[in-house]
């Protein structure tokens, strides 16, 4: 992805609703879909609602608003009570799936190998996998952030760079109101890019690298404007059309 004044680099602004939202929240999706049409052409917006809303959200989404999922099971079908396969998500209208979010790595004990298997399943179903990585505060303070990120990339990334997005979400920035500086993000994203190009060659240049963690309307321009940032993965501020669109307009 190259910078040029004539053609701003593509940005993906993805909202992760986590465990929020029932049918009444569809009004927000409708408002986002209506406004997405007037966003600059280099900006795509995505909302990943709870699985129960994917199908209905996909029916009201259109244009440059797409619908995704927050997790998936790696297997195509079977005796996995409560789980949902990639084919089921695709059938419901999802076009992308977040895998390896830090909340799932921590709360559900997902390993890098689990995350890789999920990413492969997502790609095989024709959807885009957003693979999340990020260091904890303790790892940051110990100076091991880069080692941790590279280890997560090595363990979690699928074999193909097609339909692949990486989201750098420092665990300490998620839901905390804290963020790295734009300069720190630029440096870490450059290191992630180095890993991607070593792994995938030229195809690694085309993998979008999102930043996530306490992205809000008032800090979005600075974070999204940082070099090497191809968009954002937004939690709390993606729940209302007003905040989410303000972030998308800052891209
Ligand atoms: P917040 O934007 O609420 O910090 O959440 C970030 C996140 O976890 C997105 O996946």
């Amino acid at each position: 992805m190259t910078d040029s004044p004539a053609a701003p680099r593509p940005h993906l602004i993805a909202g992760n609703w986590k465990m929020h939202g029932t049918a009444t929240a569809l009004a927000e999706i409708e408002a986002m879909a209506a406004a997405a049409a007037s966003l600059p052409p280099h900006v795509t917006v995505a909302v990943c609602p709870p699985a129960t809303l994917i199908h209905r959200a996909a029916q009201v989404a259109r244009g440059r608003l797409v619908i995704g999922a927050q997790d998936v099971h790696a297997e195509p079908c079977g005796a996995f009570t409560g789980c949902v396969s990639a084919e089921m998500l695709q059938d419901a209208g999802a076009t992308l799936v977040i895998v390896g979010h830090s909340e799932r790595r921590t709360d559900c004990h997902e390993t890098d190998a689990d995350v890789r298997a999920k990413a492969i399943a997502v790609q095989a179903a024709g959807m885009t996998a957003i693979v999340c990585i990020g260091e904890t505060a303790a790892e940051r303070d110990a100076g091991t952030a880069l080692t941790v990120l590279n280890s997560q990339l090595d363990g979690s990334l699928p074999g193909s760079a097609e339909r692949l997005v990486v989201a750098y979400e420092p665990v300490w920035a998620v839901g905390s109101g804290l963020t790295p500086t734009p300069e720190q993000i630029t440096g870490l994203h450059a290191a992630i890019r180095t890993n991607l190009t070593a792994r995938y060659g030229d195809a690694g240049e085309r993998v979008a690298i999102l930043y996530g963690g306490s992205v809000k309307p008032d800090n979005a321009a600075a974070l999204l404007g940082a070099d090497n940032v191809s968009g954002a993965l937004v939690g709390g501020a993606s729940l209302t059309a007003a905040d989410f669109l303000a972030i998308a307009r800052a891209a």
Side-chain angles (χ1 to χ4, degrees):
M1 213 171 288
T2 52
D3 286 319
S4 128
R9 61 182 187 265
H11 272 88
L12 171 64
I13 310 299
N16 174 8
W17 278 17
K18 308 191 180 183
M19 199 168 72
H20 297 284
T22 56
T24 53
L26 291 168
E28 298 299 326
I29 305 244
E30 279 202 77
M32 291 173 190
S38 58
L39 287 169
H42 68 282
V43 181
T44 299
V45 280
V47 173
C48 303
T52 47
L53 280 182
I54 289 172
H55 183 61
R56 284 172 287 173
Q59 288 176 318
V60 298
R62 58 187 180 277
R64 268 179 296 126
L65 175 68
V66 297
I67 299 300
Q70 302 171 16
D71 182 43
V72 65
H73 196 284
E75 294 296 327
C77 59
F80 303 106
T81 300
C83 299
V84 177
S85 74
E87 183 190 8
M88 292 168 185
L89 295 173
Q90 194 270 343
D91 181 54
T95 59
L96 45 85
V97 183
I98 299 167
V99 294
H101 191 281
S102 59
E103 286 152 13
R104 295 203 60 87
R105 288 179 183 265
T106 303
D107 302 344
C108 306
H109 312 291
E110 287 188 7
T111 64
D112 287 334
D114 295 330
V115 176
R116 170 184 277 155
K118 290 177 182 215
I120 290 170
V122 169
Q123 290 175 319
M127 298 181 291
T128 295
I130 303 181
V131 176
C132 299
I133 57 169
E135 83 285 1
T136 64
E139 290 161 345
R140 176 202 61 195
D141 295 344
T144 57
L146 204 47
T147 309
V148 168
L149 297 182
N150 275 318
S151 161
Q152 290 177 334
L153 290 169
D154 293 346
S156 307
L157 287 178
S160 168
E162 293 306 309
R163 297 188 302 281
L164 176 66
V165 171
V166 170
Y168 168 54
E169 294 206 309
V171 179
W172 53 270
V174 171
S176 65
L178 305 171
T179 66
T181 65
E183 293 72 26
Q184 287 167 333
I185 296 172
T186 292
L188 287 166
H189 280 212
I192 293 168
R193 180 69 67 203
T194 299
N195 184 305
L196 292 172
T197 50
R199 181 177 311 279
Y200 299 122
D202 286 351
E205 292 286 353
R206 295 190 290 275
V207 175
I209 308 175
L210 312 184
Y211 167 76
S214 296
V215 178
K216 306 291 179 196
D218 61 0
N219 63 16
L223 297 173
L224 290 166
D227 283 348
N228 308 327
V229 173
S230 341
L233 186 53
V234 184
S238 71
L239 291 170
T240 64
D243 281 356
F244 192 48
L245 290 165
I247 291 169
R249 287 191 194 99

